[in-house]
Amino acid sequence: MSLTHEANRSAKVGKPPRRPQSKRPSRKAAETRAGYAFLAPWLLGFIALTAGPMVASLYLAFTDFHPIRGGEWIGVDNFTRLFDDPRFLDSVQVTVTYAVVGTPIKLAAALGVAMLLNNRRRGQGTYRSLFYAPSLIGASVSIAIVWKAMFNDQGIVDDIGDFFGTWQGGWVGDPSKTMPMMILLTVWQFGAPMVIFLAGLKQIPGELYEAADVDGAGPWRKFTRITLPMLSPVLFFNLVLETIHSFQVFASAFIISGGRGGPANSTLFYTLYLYQRGFGQGQLGYAAAMAWLLVIVVGIITLIFFRTSRYWVHYTGEGR
Amino acid sequence: MSIRKPAMSGLAFALAGSLALTACGSGGDDGGDGGNVTLNFTWWGSDERSERYEAVIELFEEQNPGITVQTSFAEFQDYWTQRSTDATSGELPDVMQMDVSRLLEYSNNGLLYDMSEFEGNGLDTSTIDEGLLASGRSNEQLVAIPTGSNTLALMVNPDLVAELGVELPDWDYTWEDYQEFVQAASEAGADSDPQVYGAGDYTMTWWFFMQHLIQQGVEPFSETGEMNFTEDDMRAFIESAQPVREGDSAFFPRERGEQLLPKGGFTSGEAAVEFHWDNFISGYSADLGSENIQLMPMPTAADGEKHMFFKPTMQLAMGGNTSHPEEAAQLIDFLINDPEAGQIIGTDLGVPASQSRLDALEVEDGSLDQRVIEYEQRVRDEGYATETVPFQPEGFGALETEYVEVLAQEFDYGQIDANEFVERWFSEASNLLVTN
């Protein structure tokens, strides 16, 4: 989310200054000072709450630090131990499955609904709000609890399943059904990428579609030849953002499995396992090693996205 | 548009924000002025236990104007996650429930307040059973006060047993008798809706492994934290229940248990019996919605003895960082010794450790409290309790968690077999167990 805010900000900054430049030279220095003054609260917060702890956790990753006993420098032992840890491998598998399956479905749902909402019709504001609503509440604890109740034995989903003669006996206790349940929960929260897609769709000049109509292009051809390429920067942005998000999923898995990652490790997401190790078992060094491994892997994945983007992301020279 | 206006509103916003932050920063501490003291008191347990504690706290506050007690509670595993975080930041509660399985972890690292100075001076320990009180002494300090004693028992739902039409074994039953009973009950309940079982897989509970070792004459851990059992011991224990596991209608399935959380099979009326600590009877009764729960002792070992032991149910300790040690000791004294408080708490924290409180406790005939007290008395009288509680080295709690929470889950879902279970437990144990 912070990235979207950043984007909004820079868009505003990019506007030409309305006030004519002042002639006094000191004015600029004063503005710079004021700028830093305004930045200071954030900067202090960043150093104290983000950068500092990150450095500390990097150090911890090479120790066997325990919150009560303290710890000693053990070099890369934590990292080598990781690869002999069956639960670590389980957690990687769970998280990768979630990201690889969940993210495309979520983006497809977001794009589909965005295209439907892009047409001018009565009450479109209401529709947009309604489709965005799950994203506002979806990350909350209460929704995870509701979700669990819905998918539990004799929950509403089970009843619907019974009606159609399928899915007996609840999803929550069945390791093969918890992942679909988790993916449904994230797909349902497609509001944020949807809004960004909607903004992207608005940017596509109508003349392109008109020209395509004249040439006799059908809806599918217009979608693949105009919408997708024109939307590719937005698609790229959403893809990167949602992939990173899906690697960070924690709260919903924590609530649904009661913090255990069960049944049978099927909801043992990477961050949940990290939490279990670090705070449940007090192996903070091990957890810090996991955290840094995640940072590196997500960094590499993002880098791959950026490197491959030149082949499929089309930036138009000028907006229109 | 002038640049001033947004700048001013931004500044105002930042100021408001920083004020809010300062407010947060100073909020956490106690209001020590005007003779008013605020104590933090926290525990693990069921809602049922919390209702008892809250009633006792109300009484305490009434009798001690000037002391306010802020309470909080959590489920057992989350409780320890919270305490270790507290310990790191030096913010342990003034008074907290403590467990022997974690005691050394906290006391060895100087995180608990030495209550020796209050012994007999605000904190009356004279009526507490010597053996139990000793469990709270560590490094020549008094760091924890036991609330009571408990012992392992077989909880029985007699209504369900009758419904199934199976016969309960006698008190001198063996492990084989127990397994046969479970199988018979599961078979009888196979057609019920929801399906009813005899019991869950007891080999997946850490304390029954401890009890099993003791029955074999093995003291699980030495005082230096060395393990006195081998991989073969653990494997043999897990495999001893294999005959039941392989049957068609066997142990209560984990899958069903997951769906019933936070209740279990027994407390949902879907399992006829369950091994547990005897003081759980009141919480279990509340969950089950029936007072009709009976207690039976552990099965007999091959040598004809039961080798049972009494354990301090739990303890009360003070965070080493407390700024109101005197008032905290006062609260502990009240919780341990006050007869009125004792009447409210009953046997939920174990059969009271303090003899005077036990004597003062008025139990109704046929009440749950009476059943627990009578059960423990009978365990003593019959000579079942021949052992002392096993030594619990630093890291014991984490070993239990690995066994019960992590590996048992994978085992029950058939993801790992007994060999892998044992192998992985021992490999984790080397990281979790602190030897000295």
Side-chain angles (χ1 to χ4, degrees):
Chain A
M1 282 314 292
S2 64
L3 270 174
T4 56
H5 282 298
E6 231 69 73
N8 292 342
R9 294 272 153 67
S10 55
K12 272 177 205 155
V13 173
K15 280 181 195 164
R18 301 200 174 172
R19 172 177 273 262
Q21 284 291 322
S22 168
K23 279 164 195 145
R24 285 170 297 175
S26 66
R27 178 71 195 231
K28 200 168 180 200
E31 272 190 12
T32 311
R33 272 202 301 280
Y36 278 113
F38 281 117
L39 192 62
W42 178 84
L43 200 62
L44 285 175
F46 174 75
I47 292 169
L49 301 174
T50 306
M54 274 179 80
V55 173
S57 98
L58 183 60
Y59 171 73
L60 288 184
F62 296 95
T63 67
D64 59 355
F65 190 83
H66 183 280
I68 291 174
R69 284 192 286 278
E72 282 162 15
W73 184 269
I74 54 165
V76 294
D77 278 11
N78 284 328
F79 292 92
T80 50
R81 233 180 92 200
L82 276 175
F83 294 95
D84 291 329
D85 179 353
R87 295 193 86 213
F88 169 76
L89 301 176
D90 279 355
S91 76
V92 169
Q93 196 203 335
V94 165
T95 310
V96 168
T97 309
Y98 180 78
V100 168
V101 179
T103 309
I105 298 179
K106 185 176 186 176
L107 290 181
L111 180 57
V113 176
M115 287 178 66
L116 288 177
L117 294 179
N118 194 27
N119 299 330
R120 290 205 162 275
R121 67 182 53 156
R122 213 196 297 203
Q124 62 172 356
T126 315
Y127 285 120
R128 283 178 198 169
S129 311
L130 281 177
F131 280 110
Y132 190 71
S135 304
L136 291 175
I137 56 171
S140 68
V141 168
S142 49
I143 284 300
I145 293 173
V146 170
W147 209 257
K148 183 177 180 179
M150 275 171 58
F151 284 91
N152 219 331
D153 191 27
Q154 283 143 22
I156 187 160
V157 176
D158 192 36
D159 289 345
I160 295 170
D162 281 347
F163 183 76
F164 291 105
T166 52
W167 309 331
Q168 264 109 24
W171 292 33
V172 174
D174 183 345
S176 64
K177 287 178 185 158
T178 41
M179 184 51 77
M181 178 179 77
M182 295 301 297
I183 288 174
L184 266 176
L185 179 56
T186 179
V187 169
W188 181 61
Q189 301 164 42
F190 58 73
M194 178 196 77
V195 167
I196 300 169
F197 276 135
L198 207 48
L201 287 170
K202 296 262 176 239
Q203 298 291 319
I204 303 176
E207 302 93 77
L208 291 177
Y209 292 109
E210 283 162 23
D213 280 337
V214 170
D215 290 343
W220 176 250
R221 190 162 273 256
K222 278 195 279 186
F223 175 71
T224 53
R225 296 299 165 87
I226 301 173
T227 311
L228 275 187
M230 292 298 285
L231 210 56
S232 59
V234 175
L235 191 62
F236 174 67
F237 174 77
N238 270 337
L239 181 67
V240 172
L241 214 61
E242 289 303 324
T243 306
I244 294 174
H245 271 185
S246 62
F247 275 102
Q248 293 174 335
V249 62
F250 176 77
S252 47
F254 182 86
I255 300 299
I256 286 176
S257 74
R260 286 172 178 80
N265 294 348
S266 61
T267 57
L268 188 69
F269 286 91
Y270 195 92
T271 49
L272 185 57
Y273 186 47
L274 189 157
Y275 173 82
Q276 283 186 359
R277 281 286 185 183
F279 297 94
Q281 299 188 333
Q283 299 185 10
L284 277 177
Y286 194 76
M290 283 187 71
W292 277 96
L293 197 66
L294 180 66
V295 168
I296 293 166
V297 168
V298 169
I300 290 173
I301 290 171
T302 311
L303 198 69
I304 292 173
F305 279 150
F306 271 92
R307 282 290 157 85
T308 57
S309 70
R310 74 176 76 152
Y311 301 110
W312 61 277
V313 178
H314 308 278
Y315 292 99
T316 42
E318 277 180 35
R320 62 182 76 161
Chain B
M1 191 174 35
S2 138
I3 204 164
R4 289 263 160 78
K5 207 176 158 198
M8 282 312 288
S9 56
L11 189 63
F13 190 75
L15 268 174
S18 59
L19 281 177
L21 277 176
T22 4
C24 293
S26 61
D29 234 322
D30 51 87
D33 50 302
N36 275 327
V37 166
T38 303
L39 294 176
N40 291 314
F41 172 38
T42 180
W43 63 87
W44 70 83
S46 62
D47 293 345
E48 210 262 343
R49 171 173 301 163
S50 298
E51 281 163 26
R52 292 170 192 258
Y53 266 139
E54 295 290 357
V56 172
I57 294 300
E58 207 168 295
L59 205 62
F60 176 77
E61 287 178 335
E62 234 167 67
Q63 297 181 10
N64 298 278
I67 304 182
T68 315
V69 183
Q70 295 233 344
T71 58
S72 64
F73 71 102
E75 173 272 333
F76 190 75
Q77 295 296 340
D78 294 336
Y79 179 86
W80 293 111
T81 306
Q82 291 167 9
R83 295 297 79 72
S84 73
T85 318
D86 289 351
T88 321
S89 52
E91 286 173 346
L92 281 170
D94 301 293
V95 179
M96 60 185 152
Q97 259 183 215
M98 179 48 68
D99 192 63
V100 182
S101 67
R102 319 274 167 152
L103 182 69
L104 289 183
E105 189 171 343
Y106 285 80
S107 67
N108 285 352
N109 294 286
L111 292 165
L112 300 179
Y113 195 92
D114 178 9
M115 292 182 263
S116 309
E117 59 184 285
F118 300 115
E119 227 185 332
N121 174 26
L123 180 58
D124 183 11
T125 56
S126 59
T127 61
I128 297 178
D129 175 83
E130 264 309 309
L132 285 177
L133 191 59
S135 71
R137 295 191 196 277
S138 158
N139 309 319
E140 289 164 21
Q141 293 185 332
L142 179 65
V143 288
I145 308 287
T147 59
S149 65
N150 62 2
T151 187
L152 291 169
L154 183 68
M155 305 253 182
V156 180
N157 181 343
D159 297 333
L160 194 53
V161 171
E163 211 180 293
L164 293 172
V166 286
E167 203 170 322
L168 264 183
D170 293 329
W171 276 37
D172 60 357
Y173 66 133
T174 63
W175 288 98
E176 288 72 32
D177 296 338
Y178 175 70
Q179 292 189 354
E180 273 165 32
F181 167 77
V182 170
Q183 279 172 310
S186 295
E187 243 160 69
D191 297 327
S192 309
D193 183 37
Q195 201 173 340
V196 172
Y197 295 83
D201 186 346
Y202 60 92
T203 63
M204 287 298 115
T205 303
W206 170 249
W207 272 103
F208 304 123
F209 178 52
M210 295 293 104
Q211 178 70 77
H212 166 82
L213 287 175
I214 293 167
Q215 287 196 342
Q216 311 291 309
V218 177
E219 172 66 36
F221 296 93
S222 75
E223 302 268 326
T224 53
E226 305 289 339
M227 270 186 259
N228 291 332
F229 54 94
T230 63
E231 302 198 7
D232 289 338
D233 290 328
M234 192 183 277
R235 195 177 303 112
F237 175 62
I238 294 170
E239 282 173 353
S240 69
Q242 201 59 30
V244 189
R245 232 172 266 137
E246 277 165 0
D248 291 332
S249 43
F251 287 124
F252 184 82
R254 166 77 67 162
E255 186 167 340
R256 181 68 185 147
E258 264 325 290
Q259 293 168 357
L260 293 172
L261 282 174
K263 284 194 187 182
F266 183 82
T267 48
S268 303
E270 296 182 19
V273 298
E274 188 187 309
F275 287 122
H276 215 315
W277 299 106
D278 57 4
N279 64 300
F280 274 74
I281 196 170
S282 46
Y284 266 30
S285 155
D287 278 354
L288 184 61
S290 158
E291 289 237 328
N292 195 6
I293 299 178
Q294 299 297 336
L295 298 170
M296 277 178 63
M298 296 303 285
T300 310
D303 65 356
E305 298 281 334
K306 291 199 184 288
H307 300 277
M308 289 172 68
F309 53 87
F310 285 97
K311 181 177 86 63
T313 316
M314 64 190 68
Q315 306 161 313
L316 292 168
M318 286 159 57
N321 50 275
T322 178
S323 37
H324 308 291
E326 206 166 313
E327 288 82 1
Q330 210 175 324
L331 174 59
I332 292 181
D333 183 67
F334 188 82
L335 288 166
I336 299 287
N337 289 319
D338 186 84
E340 257 185 285
Q343 200 59 44
I344 297 170
I345 292 172
T347 59
D348 191 54
L349 310 180
V351 171
S354 152
Q355 189 58 42
S356 60
R357 152 163 314 173
L358 183 55
D359 295 341
L361 188 63
E362 293 166 23
V363 286
E364 271 176 60
D365 270 348
S367 68
L368 295 170
D369 288 338
Q370 192 204 30
R371 249 170 273 169
V372 178
I373 295 168
E374 269 184 8
Y375 169 70
E376 292 201 3
Q377 195 54 50
R378 194 165 160 196
V379 165
R380 268 179 237 275
D381 293 347
E382 303 268 350
Y384 294 152
T386 49
E387 314 291 329
T388 55
V389 61
F391 177 74
Q392 296 165 53
E394 196 177 337
F396 186 90
L399 294 177
E400 177 181 5
T401 305
E402 184 67 22
Y403 192 101
V404 178
E405 297 283 332
V406 177
L407 296 174
Q409 163 95 225
E410 294 186 30
F411 183 82
D412 284 346
Y413 272 105
Q415 293 191 325
I416 53 173
D417 60 18
N419 283 322
E420 289 165 299
F421 184 107
V422 172
E423 192 188 312
R424 279 180 55 189
W425 188 87
F426 275 82
S427 128
E428 282 296 329
S430 61
N431 292 312
L432 300 173
L433 189 61
V434 180
T435 49
N436 34 23

